[in-house]
Amino acid sequence: MITNKISDQPLQKIALSCSGGGYRAASFHLGSMSYLNRHIYNGKPLLENVKLISTVSGGTITGVVYALHKQKGKSFRDIYHFLLDQLHTLDLVKGGIEKLNPGALWNNTHKHKNLINAFAEQYDDAFTKGATIADLDGLNSHLEAVVFNSTEFNNAIDFRFKNMGTGYSGNYYIPVGQDIAAEIKLSDVMASSACFPGGFEPLLWPDDFVHEQAPHISELKKNSKAPVGIMDGGIYDNQGIESILNYKSKNEIPYFDLIIISDVASPYMEPYKPFVETKKKGFNTLTLKEVKKKAETISKGISMGLLVCIALFALLPAIWQYPNNIGTGLSLGIAGVLLLLLIAKMMAVGAIKKKIAQMLHALEKKIPSFYFKKLSKLKIEELSVHRAQPLIMDRLNSLVTLLMDVFLKVVRRLNYYKLYNNNNFKYRRISNLIKELTEMDFNANVLRRQQDQAAAGKTPDFSIFNGTYNEVVGTAIKGVAESASSFGTTLWFTDDDKLSDMLDQLIATGQFTMCYNLIEYLEKLIYDKDSGYDGLDQQKKDNLQKLYSDCKEDWKQFKDDPMFMVKELG
């Protein structure tokens, strides 16, 4: 059944997805949620009409904290300031690396001692205080369900952590029953969802999820044949869209009146740049065989030098006929230390050669014999460094670009298509994108907005979208939006970021971008002749019109001072 009309209960059941993107995502989504909380719609804050939150990676930090604290009866203002303080002060990378030092406190000895588990311990200390999925049992807030998304490496699909009572966690191939899920720490959920490739190693399910109060997970570990690698949800779906579309998907009419996709991922990527060849002189003229030979010569020279020094210090006391004094002891002691150094050096070189041989052998086994036979025709050792560099670096660069950029952009588009190519959601979707109020994105979308207005059949008495970029957005918003959207995917704020109030700028960008998108959405509902707005009763029309009017007033304030809401919240 196709129903491309407005819901007959507009904005009463909202789904919110929070994309990945480190602290940039966590902060932007907090700002977006604070704007939804600002407006009273039909007697309560619009945020309290959000029934499902689906989060990924950095968005899971905000999603977990919000769901957990709402479960405890906290106000939005309390949650906002708690999360704001943690984001401002907690440098996860610094703390995680310090935890890996010998003798550093490691709270959960069941976990492998690695960086992602060090992060999980910090999440537990700072954000969740030992809470588990059981603490989300029987959600008593406005939320019906929460889904925190990660990716598993056995079947290359989503691995979901859900609140109790909404079906099993995991996925079809690796279902996680509710008795087991109840024991999963929310800090491990956050770590799994934000475990991005390259920066971290995978969490292992169920091994790294065992803790002192987890008898069912511990038993599962004993009976498991091999652990499963769990990593960042963004590998599979960086917006968490699929988890929303799957919720009560058997309904003929979409369950949600509105789906909001809050997204800090950029649709753009840097052009591929080939390796810039160095000049063929000096070291770069050497062949790999010559480099290897020089390394061996240096190694032998070091060994010979050590042998000479050993002999010198061992024979030096002979001049004095080895008297029993401090000079003899010191000389023989130095000779002994140098001998140990020589032995250690020889053992290290031997171990390195053995390891390299093992790695090459393992690599050889993974290369199909057909290709290996072809590659064997290339006389690699005869290549100069000048020629070998581009052969190696261009492949590495293209592989990194493929894994970290091309692949993620393709996945992003595919998941957006699931929502935007489905006519059922024509009047039930908003994309809230961190970059859309930058000058480049705004101008790129001018034609789309003009086409939408032309197709609407009605013209708003006043629309904030009529005009040039400077007229619509203005220089004040531009400065904040450009700064926030250029912030990298990190899990910390540097001293320079704090001096420039980057956290506040990210939150403000979430606020005014959500305001902008609500206005655009409401105009589409109210003025599009096919939306079904005319069929609503007068009270519902009045509610939508009031929200539209309030958002336009906010937009005027944002144009004057993009930080006004941040200041109001304190």
Side-chain angles (χ1 to χ4, degrees), residues 220-233:
L220 179 64
K221 176 186 174 182
K222 291 178 184 177
N223 297 324
S224 296
K225 294 181 180 178
V228 178
I230 307 291
M231 291 202 80
D232 197 292

Side-chain angles (χ1 to χ4, degrees), residues 109-124:
T109 56
H110 297 282
K111 284 179 169 292
H112 293 87
K113 196 165 186 179
N114 55 30
L115 188 58
I116 190 58
N117 281 316
F119 271 55
E121 292 211 344
Q122 290 183 93
Y123 289 139
D124 199 42

